[in-house]
Each structure stands twice: as structure tokens, then as C-alpha cells.
Amino acid sequence: TYTVECRYMNGVASEGAVMVTFQDTTHLEHASQMRRDFVANVSHELRTPLTALMGFIETLRGPARDDPAARDRFLKIMADEANRMNRLVGDLLSLNRVESEERVRPRQQLELTGLLQSTINSLRPLAEDAGVVLSLDVKNGPLSVTGDGDQLRQVFTNLIENGIKYGASGGSVKVRVLPADRDLAMRGPAVRIQFIDKGPGIDAVHLPRLTERFYRADSHRSRQLGGTGLGLAIVKHIVNRHRGRLRVESELGKGSVFTVILPR
Ligand code: ADP
């Protein structure tokens, strides 16, 4: 797309001449289309639980008013819907914060193994409820990296939670840490952190789009499990801020491996 601007050159040496400027504005149109899509997506995602809430309020005021069992059941659904909205707003705020900081280099000195261990410990109750075994496999001792501790914790949390959420009961999520003095992808010292699950896997057609906001490989399952569709978008931005890489390998029916590569 080109924007064309014509201007009469008055009061200058070339009086009477016309200046025509062509400017390639494809990227601006693309950005504003993306913004419009994003607003439409957010509105849709918020409206779905809101509509459910409004419907249940009406039912509680009317037919279910004198039915304590129905009232309890509806209140539970309403609480779930309110939680869904709360998670969505929380993820939108995280995404906003992460995007605005993307150009600022994080500078904290962190110990990676301890950070992973404490993230895993805090997710153990969730894994136990889902019947999924969590484990950390580190061959080396402490590993220091430069980064933002809260944001890296969010990356690890999102990836482990996905492994638990999409995995079947009786499954496992293994976190493996592989440091290298010279990593091929990073062309220097780096550490690979792998999140390996034996869940349903993801069809190859979806892999290139997984980190787009609101993109879901299995929309029904994601919504059923309370997903916002923003987790991997947040992960991607944080990994970019750390000048790292995110890789996904997956096979349907076999499971998935998400790899975060961080420079050291
Ligand atoms: P959601 O909130 O839907 O989980 P994410 O951005 O975290 O959103 O993930 C995007 C989509 O990628 C999910 O909807 C799901 O279809 C797929 N996905 C992510 N992680 C896994 C996994 N470990 N196993 C299977 N599918 C996954």
C-alpha cells in the first residue's frame, strides 16, 4: 500500500512546481489491522463469560430463587466465569507490561536451578490434583544467568501449567536443563531448558502460530480447561526480551517438547 501526497511548491525557488511523495505504508496498515483484530478478540473473550453471568443472574432472580440446590450450582458456575475473566485481565496486563519492557535488557543475576525448583514446588499441588508427576532433571549444579526473575518464573510457570493442563491423568511433565559452552543456535554459551510432556501433542499445522495472541490449537479444550490463549504469547515476549529463543517440537499422540534457550 502506498500513500501518495501532492504538494504545490509555493514561495520557494521552484514556485509553481508540484511535489509528489510516495510512501510505503503497508506496515502501518498491517499494524492497525492487528490492533483491530486484537480489540475484537478481547471483546469477544470478555463477552462470553459476561453473557453467561448475566444469564445466571436472571435465573437466580427468577426460576431458581427458591431452589437452594440450583442456586449453589449456578453460583459455582458464576464464580468460574468470574475467575475466567479475572485470568484474562491478568494475562492482558502481563502482556502489556512485558511488551512495554521488551527493549529494556534485564540485569538481575539469577540462579536458574533454584528458580526452576521453586517454580516446580509451587505447581506441585496443581499437578497432584491433575494426577501428573512433575520432575526436574539437572546434571550440573547451580547455573547463573542474567535476566528478570519474575518474568522467567512466569515463562516456566506457563510452560509447566500447559504440560499439566493438556496432559492426561497419570502423565508427566519433565523439566530438563542442558547447559552448553557453545550452543549452536546462540553461537555462544547458553542454557536449554526443556519442558517435556507426554500429553496429546499438537498437529504440525498449528506450530508456527502457537505464540500468536488468542491462537489455540484446540479451542474447545483450551476453553474447557480455563485457558486464555495468551500464555505462549507472554512466554515469547519474555524470551525475546532475554535475547533467547523458543522452540516447539510436538507429535500428535506422543507429547510435546517446549525448549527455552537463554544466552549465558
Ligand atoms: P491457552 O491458554 O489456550 O493454554 P497458550 O497460549 O498457553 O493458551 O497455548 C496456546 C495453545 O497451544 C493452547 O490453546 C493449546 O491448544 C496448545 N498447547 C500449548 N501447550 C500445549 C501442550 N503442552 N500440549 C498440547 N497443546 C498445547
mmCIF file of all heavy atoms in Angstrom, residues 35-62:
data_model
loop_
_atom_site.group_PDB
_atom_site.id
_atom_site.type_symbol
_atom_site.label_atom_id
_atom_site.label_comp_id
_atom_site.label_asym_id
_atom_site.label_seq_id
_atom_site.Cartn_x
_atom_site.Cartn_y
_atom_site.Cartn_z
ATOM 1 N N ARG A 35 -4.220 -4.367 15.452
ATOM 2 C CA ARG A 35 -4.820 -3.735 16.638
ATOM 3 C C ARG A 35 -6.331 -3.963 16.653
ATOM 4 O O ARG A 35 -6.922 -4.295 17.666
ATOM 5 C CB ARG A 35 -4.481 -2.243 16.654
ATOM 6 C CG ARG A 35 -4.448 -1.668 18.046
ATOM 7 C CD ARG A 35 -3.789 -0.310 18.141
ATOM 8 N NE ARG A 35 -3.871 0.491 16.940
ATOM 9 C CZ ARG A 35 -2.813 0.897 16.247
ATOM 10 N NH1 ARG A 35 -1.609 0.553 16.616
ATOM 11 N NH2 ARG A 35 -2.966 1.644 15.181
ATOM 12 N N ARG A 36 -6.945 -3.811 15.465
ATOM 13 C CA ARG A 36 -8.405 -4.014 15.390
ATOM 14 C C ARG A 36 -8.763 -5.463 15.725
ATOM 15 O O ARG A 36 -9.700 -5.723 16.472
ATOM 16 C CB ARG A 36 -8.921 -3.653 13.991
ATOM 17 C CG ARG A 36 -9.071 -2.148 13.772
ATOM 18 C CD ARG A 36 -9.934 -1.874 12.549
ATOM 19 N NE ARG A 36 -9.339 -2.363 11.330
ATOM 20 C CZ ARG A 36 -8.469 -1.689 10.581
ATOM 21 N NH1 ARG A 36 -8.105 -0.472 10.927
ATOM 22 N NH2 ARG A 36 -7.968 -2.212 9.490
ATOM 23 N N ASP A 37 -7.981 -6.410 15.180
ATOM 24 C CA ASP A 37 -8.247 -7.830 15.464
ATOM 25 C C ASP A 37 -8.125 -8.098 16.962
ATOM 26 O O ASP A 37 -8.921 -8.841 17.541
ATOM 27 C CB ASP A 37 -7.225 -8.729 14.738
ATOM 28 C CG ASP A 37 -7.487 -8.753 13.241
ATOM 29 O OD1 ASP A 37 -8.538 -8.246 12.820
ATOM 30 O OD2 ASP A 37 -6.619 -9.265 12.501
ATOM 31 N N PHE A 38 -7.101 -7.478 17.576
ATOM 32 C CA PHE A 38 -6.854 -7.707 18.994
ATOM 33 C C PHE A 38 -8.036 -7.210 19.834
ATOM 34 O O PHE A 38 -8.546 -7.913 20.705
ATOM 35 C CB PHE A 38 -5.551 -7.007 19.410
ATOM 36 C CG PHE A 38 -5.188 -7.202 20.847
ATOM 37 C CD1 PHE A 38 -4.908 -8.470 21.331
ATOM 38 C CD2 PHE A 38 -5.128 -6.134 21.723
ATOM 39 C CE1 PHE A 38 -4.572 -8.674 22.661
ATOM 40 C CE2 PHE A 38 -4.794 -6.325 23.051
ATOM 41 C CZ PHE A 38 -4.522 -7.594 23.521
ATOM 42 N N VAL A 39 -8.505 -6.002 19.530
ATOM 43 C CA VAL A 39 -9.633 -5.440 20.283
ATOM 44 C C VAL A 39 -10.879 -6.320 20.091
ATOM 45 O O VAL A 39 -11.603 -6.614 21.049
ATOM 46 C CB VAL A 39 -9.910 -3.971 19.857
ATOM 47 C CG1 VAL A 39 -11.185 -3.446 20.480
ATOM 48 C CG2 VAL A 39 -8.735 -3.092 20.245
ATOM 49 N N ALA A 40 -11.085 -6.794 18.846
ATOM 50 C CA ALA A 40 -12.251 -7.648 18.586
ATOM 51 C C ALA A 40 -12.135 -8.942 19.388
ATOM 52 O O ALA A 40 -13.116 -9.406 19.989
ATOM 53 C CB ALA A 40 -12.345 -7.956 17.090
ATOM 54 N N ASN A 41 -10.915 -9.515 19.425
ATOM 55 C CA ASN A 41 -10.706 -10.758 20.179
ATOM 56 C C ASN A 41 -10.953 -10.566 21.672
ATOM 57 O O ASN A 41 -11.621 -11.377 22.308
ATOM 58 C CB ASN A 41 -9.264 -11.253 19.991
ATOM 59 C CG ASN A 41 -9.122 -12.072 18.736
ATOM 60 O OD1 ASN A 41 -10.042 -12.778 18.350
ATOM 61 N ND2 ASN A 41 -7.985 -11.965 18.082
ATOM 62 N N VAL A 42 -10.387 -9.476 22.227
ATOM 63 C CA VAL A 42 -10.545 -9.220 23.671
ATOM 64 C C VAL A 42 -12.025 -9.050 23.990
ATOM 65 O O VAL A 42 -12.540 -9.617 24.956
ATOM 66 C CB VAL A 42 -9.747 -7.962 24.106
ATOM 67 C CG1 VAL A 42 -10.093 -7.586 25.537
ATOM 68 C CG2 VAL A 42 -8.252 -8.209 23.977
ATOM 69 N N SER A 43 -12.730 -8.286 23.148
ATOM 70 C CA SER A 43 -14.152 -8.034 23.421
ATOM 71 C C SER A 43 -14.927 -9.346 23.410
ATOM 72 O O SER A 43 -15.760 -9.601 24.284
ATOM 73 C CB SER A 43 -14.759 -7.107 22.366
ATOM 74 O OG SER A 43 -13.922 -6.000 22.199
ATOM 75 N N HIS A 44 -14.607 -10.192 22.420
ATOM 76 C CA HIS A 44 -15.294 -11.472 22.322
ATOM 77 C C HIS A 44 -15.003 -12.341 23.554
ATOM 78 O O HIS A 44 -15.916 -12.927 24.147
ATOM 79 C CB HIS A 44 -14.866 -12.181 21.037
ATOM 80 C CG HIS A 44 -15.417 -13.557 20.926
ATOM 81 N ND1 HIS A 44 -16.740 -13.802 20.643
ATOM 82 C CD2 HIS A 44 -14.834 -14.762 21.086
ATOM 83 C CE1 HIS A 44 -16.937 -15.104 20.638
ATOM 84 N NE2 HIS A 44 -15.796 -15.704 20.912
ATOM 85 N N GLU A 45 -13.721 -12.391 23.946
ATOM 86 C CA GLU A 45 -13.326 -13.235 25.083
ATOM 87 C C GLU A 45 -13.974 -12.767 26.388
ATOM 88 O O GLU A 45 -14.255 -13.573 27.264
ATOM 89 C CB GLU A 45 -11.799 -13.241 25.261
ATOM 90 C CG GLU A 45 -11.019 -13.801 24.098
ATOM 91 C CD GLU A 45 -11.104 -15.325 23.990
ATOM 92 O OE1 GLU A 45 -11.372 -15.975 25.007
ATOM 93 O OE2 GLU A 45 -10.910 -15.830 22.870
ATOM 94 N N LEU A 46 -14.177 -11.439 26.515
ATOM 95 C CA LEU A 46 -14.808 -10.917 27.735
ATOM 96 C C LEU A 46 -16.322 -11.083 27.689
ATOM 97 O O LEU A 46 -16.968 -11.302 28.703
ATOM 98 C CB LEU A 46 -14.468 -9.441 27.937
ATOM 99 C CG LEU A 46 -13.074 -9.145 28.494
ATOM 100 C CD1 LEU A 46 -12.792 -7.645 28.458
ATOM 101 C CD2 LEU A 46 -12.927 -9.655 29.928
ATOM 102 N N ARG A 47 -16.857 -10.971 26.480
ATOM 103 C CA ARG A 47 -18.312 -11.011 26.375
ATOM 104 C C ARG A 47 -18.872 -12.398 26.683
ATOM 105 O O ARG A 47 -19.949 -12.517 27.278
ATOM 106 C CB ARG A 47 -18.740 -10.559 24.980
ATOM 107 C CG ARG A 47 -20.230 -10.519 24.856
ATOM 108 C CD ARG A 47 -20.681 -9.740 23.673
ATOM 109 N NE ARG A 47 -20.817 -8.323 23.975
ATOM 110 C CZ ARG A 47 -21.059 -7.409 23.054
ATOM 111 N NH1 ARG A 47 -21.129 -7.749 21.803
ATOM 112 N NH2 ARG A 47 -21.219 -6.146 23.398
ATOM 113 N N THR A 48 -18.123 -13.440 26.326
ATOM 114 C CA THR A 48 -18.635 -14.804 26.538
ATOM 115 C C THR A 48 -18.935 -15.059 28.025
ATOM 116 O O THR A 48 -20.068 -15.404 28.367
ATOM 117 C CB THR A 48 -17.654 -15.837 25.947
ATOM 118 O OG1 THR A 48 -17.340 -15.419 24.632
ATOM 119 C CG2 THR A 48 -18.228 -17.230 25.922
ATOM 120 N N PRO A 49 -17.958 -14.850 28.942
ATOM 121 C CA PRO A 49 -18.294 -15.074 30.356
ATOM 122 C C PRO A 49 -19.308 -14.064 30.890
ATOM 123 O O PRO A 49 -20.158 -14.414 31.721
ATOM 124 C CB PRO A 49 -16.958 -14.921 31.101
ATOM 125 C CG PRO A 49 -16.016 -14.290 30.148
ATOM 126 C CD PRO A 49 -16.510 -14.560 28.768
ATOM 127 N N LEU A 50 -19.257 -12.824 30.355
ATOM 128 C CA LEU A 50 -20.225 -11.820 30.823
ATOM 129 C C LEU A 50 -21.653 -12.225 30.492
ATOM 130 O O LEU A 50 -22.567 -12.085 31.317
ATOM 131 C CB LEU A 50 -19.938 -10.491 30.127
ATOM 132 C CG LEU A 50 -19.250 -9.419 30.949
ATOM 133 C CD1 LEU A 50 -19.088 -8.150 30.129
ATOM 134 C CD2 LEU A 50 -20.026 -9.132 32.223
ATOM 135 N N THR A 51 -21.854 -12.753 29.271
ATOM 136 C CA THR A 51 -23.191 -13.177 28.858
ATOM 137 C C THR A 51 -23.678 -14.294 29.778
ATOM 138 O O THR A 51 -24.840 -14.302 30.214
ATOM 139 C CB THR A 51 -23.160 -13.670 27.392
ATOM 140 O OG1 THR A 51 -22.554 -12.659 26.614
ATOM 141 C CG2 THR A 51 -24.542 -13.972 26.857
ATOM 142 N N ALA A 52 -22.749 -15.230 30.087
ATOM 143 C CA ALA A 52 -23.135 -16.332 30.984
ATOM 144 C C ALA A 52 -23.520 -15.768 32.350
ATOM 145 O O ALA A 52 -24.569 -16.141 32.915
ATOM 146 C CB ALA A 52 -21.978 -17.318 31.115
ATOM 147 N N LEU A 53 -22.721 -14.829 32.877
ATOM 148 C CA LEU A 53 -23.019 -14.245 34.194
ATOM 149 C C LEU A 53 -24.390 -13.581 34.197
ATOM 150 O O LEU A 53 -25.190 -13.769 35.126
ATOM 151 C CB LEU A 53 -21.959 -13.203 34.563
ATOM 152 C CG LEU A 53 -20.655 -13.741 35.164
ATOM 153 C CD1 LEU A 53 -19.657 -12.610 35.394
ATOM 154 C CD2 LEU A 53 -20.946 -14.428 36.494
ATOM 155 N N MET A 54 -24.663 -12.806 33.137
ATOM 156 C CA MET A 54 -25.943 -12.095 33.084
ATOM 157 C C MET A 54 -27.119 -13.072 33.024
ATOM 158 O O MET A 54 -28.147 -12.868 33.689
ATOM 159 C CB MET A 54 -25.962 -11.133 31.881
ATOM 160 C CG MET A 54 -25.160 -9.874 32.177
ATOM 161 S SD MET A 54 -24.495 -9.088 30.707
ATOM 162 C CE MET A 54 -25.947 -8.606 29.881
ATOM 163 N N GLY A 55 -26.933 -14.167 32.280
ATOM 164 C CA GLY A 55 -27.986 -15.188 32.184
ATOM 165 C C GLY A 55 -28.262 -15.811 33.546
ATOM 166 O O GLY A 55 -29.426 -15.958 33.952
ATOM 167 N N PHE A 56 -27.193 -16.136 34.279
ATOM 168 C CA PHE A 56 -27.382 -16.789 35.584
ATOM 169 C C PHE A 56 -27.982 -15.831 36.612
ATOM 170 O O PHE A 56 -28.762 -16.243 37.466
ATOM 171 C CB PHE A 56 -26.065 -17.387 36.081
ATOM 172 C CG PHE A 56 -25.722 -18.675 35.385
ATOM 173 C CD1 PHE A 56 -24.604 -18.775 34.582
ATOM 174 C CD2 PHE A 56 -26.552 -19.782 35.515
ATOM 175 C CE1 PHE A 56 -24.310 -19.955 33.922
ATOM 176 C CE2 PHE A 56 -26.263 -20.974 34.864
ATOM 177 C CZ PHE A 56 -25.143 -21.058 34.062
ATOM 178 N N ILE A 57 -27.628 -14.554 36.523
ATOM 179 C CA ILE A 57 -28.223 -13.576 37.443
ATOM 180 C C ILE A 57 -29.750 -13.558 37.243
ATOM 181 O O ILE A 57 -30.529 -13.593 38.197
ATOM 182 C CB ILE A 57 -27.613 -12.164 37.232
ATOM 183 C CG1 ILE A 57 -26.169 -12.156 37.749
ATOM 184 C CG2 ILE A 57 -28.444 -11.084 37.939
ATOM 185 C CD1 ILE A 57 -25.385 -10.907 37.414
ATOM 186 N N GLU A 58 -30.145 -13.548 35.970
ATOM 187 C CA GLU A 58 -31.585 -13.558 35.666
ATOM 188 C C GLU A 58 -32.253 -14.815 36.227
ATOM 189 O O GLU A 58 -33.329 -14.760 36.824
ATOM 190 C CB GLU A 58 -31.819 -13.497 34.149
ATOM 191 C CG GLU A 58 -31.715 -12.101 33.564
ATOM 192 C CD GLU A 58 -32.445 -11.054 34.402
ATOM 193 O OE1 GLU A 58 -33.659 -11.218 34.634
ATOM 194 O OE2 GLU A 58 -31.800 -10.079 34.855
ATOM 195 N N THR A 59 -31.571 -15.964 36.041
ATOM 196 C CA THR A 59 -32.159 -17.233 36.521
ATOM 197 C C THR A 59 -32.276 -17.211 38.047
ATOM 198 O O THR A 59 -33.260 -17.692 38.613
ATOM 199 C CB THR A 59 -31.273 -18.419 36.078
ATOM 200 O OG1 THR A 59 -30.909 -18.216 34.731
ATOM 201 C CG2 THR A 59 -32.000 -19.740 36.209
ATOM 202 N N LEU A 60 -31.253 -16.657 38.712
ATOM 203 C CA LEU A 60 -31.286 -16.623 40.181
ATOM 204 C C LEU A 60 -32.381 -15.694 40.704
ATOM 205 O O LEU A 60 -32.957 -15.915 41.762
ATOM 206 C CB LEU A 60 -29.929 -16.176 40.730
ATOM 207 C CG LEU A 60 -28.812 -17.221 40.679
ATOM 208 C CD1 LEU A 60 -27.498 -16.627 41.138
ATOM 209 C CD2 LEU A 60 -29.172 -18.425 41.549
ATOM 210 N N ARG A 61 -32.623 -14.645 39.911
ATOM 211 C CA ARG A 61 -33.696 -13.722 40.318
ATOM 212 C C ARG A 61 -35.070 -14.335 40.105
ATOM 213 O O ARG A 61 -36.021 -13.998 40.789
ATOM 214 C CB ARG A 61 -33.625 -12.460 39.455
ATOM 215 C CG ARG A 61 -32.647 -11.463 39.981
ATOM 216 C CD ARG A 61 -32.810 -10.226 39.133
ATOM 217 N NE ARG A 61 -32.012 -9.145 39.604
ATOM 218 C CZ ARG A 61 -31.493 -8.220 38.815
ATOM 219 N NH1 ARG A 61 -31.684 -8.298 37.510
ATOM 220 N NH2 ARG A 61 -30.795 -7.242 39.320
ATOM 221 N N GLY A 62 -35.162 -15.213 39.103
ATOM 222 C CA GLY A 62 -36.460 -15.769 38.731
ATOM 223 C C GLY A 62 -36.626 -17.215 39.150
ATOM 224 O O GLY A 62 -36.737 -17.514 40.354
#
